[in-house]
Amino acid sequence: MKPSPQSLPPASETISRMLYSVQSPTISVRELLTLMGEQGLLMLCALMTLPFLFPVSIPGVSTVFGAAILLIGVAITLNTLPWLPAFVADRQLDWLKLKPTLQRGVGVLRKVDGFLKPHRLAVLSNSLVMNRVNGLALIFAALLLMLPLGLIPFSNTLPGIAILLLAVGMSQRDGLLVAAGYGMIVLTLVYFSFLAWAAWAGGRSLIG
């Protein structure tokens, strides 16, 4: 029997243990999923957002991790196990470059853990219907993360935070964190709309 949300270890503890268990210089998404264990899919989503919480990005990571999060979102929405194509599941990532960023991200997760309260705003996290709606939100946030805007400040950070809040909130049954994740999706859309408007206005001024 799976433990109740109250008995689940905090996300930061789960991920921290996993980080110190990896000894190989490279790692794949499939191996990360295996290592995450009981909290599995949602904790893997949280883990994969950590590289995007800081200004320095690792080339190619947003595409691979974004695709994995999207497919996990599909699995959650359909209430089934995820299918990951080989290019996502088996692509080898440089663990020596990735690990320091993830370790810094654990510090952010510890702050998130401090706000966790299982069953708060339960309507957003405790039903099958909302689980599927939240899965759709993960899919949408993953698509935003995968947009080719990596060189623009905050273009990966905002959707990354949205996914982090959704994943941790869903795994720990904290509806307030889930709601905060939806808020970050809205903020991301506002920011991307501003970028599109700025690009359009800049193009018009060059033509004019």
Side-chain angles (χ1 to χ4, degrees), residues 113-160:
D113 288 340
F115 292 97
L116 278 173
K117 289 185 180 179
H119 303 303
R120 183 170 50 178
L121 280 182
V123 68
L124 294 181
S125 63
N126 282 2
S127 71
L128 181 59
V129 171
M130 280 309 304
N131 199 53
R132 292 182 172 179
V133 172
N134 294 337
L136 291 173
L138 273 179
I139 293 171
F140 186 64
L143 289 171
L144 294 175
L145 181 65
M146 294 173 68
L147 290 175
L149 303 172
L151 297 178
I152 300 174
F154 305 111
S155 61
N156 286 336
T157 303
L158 295 179

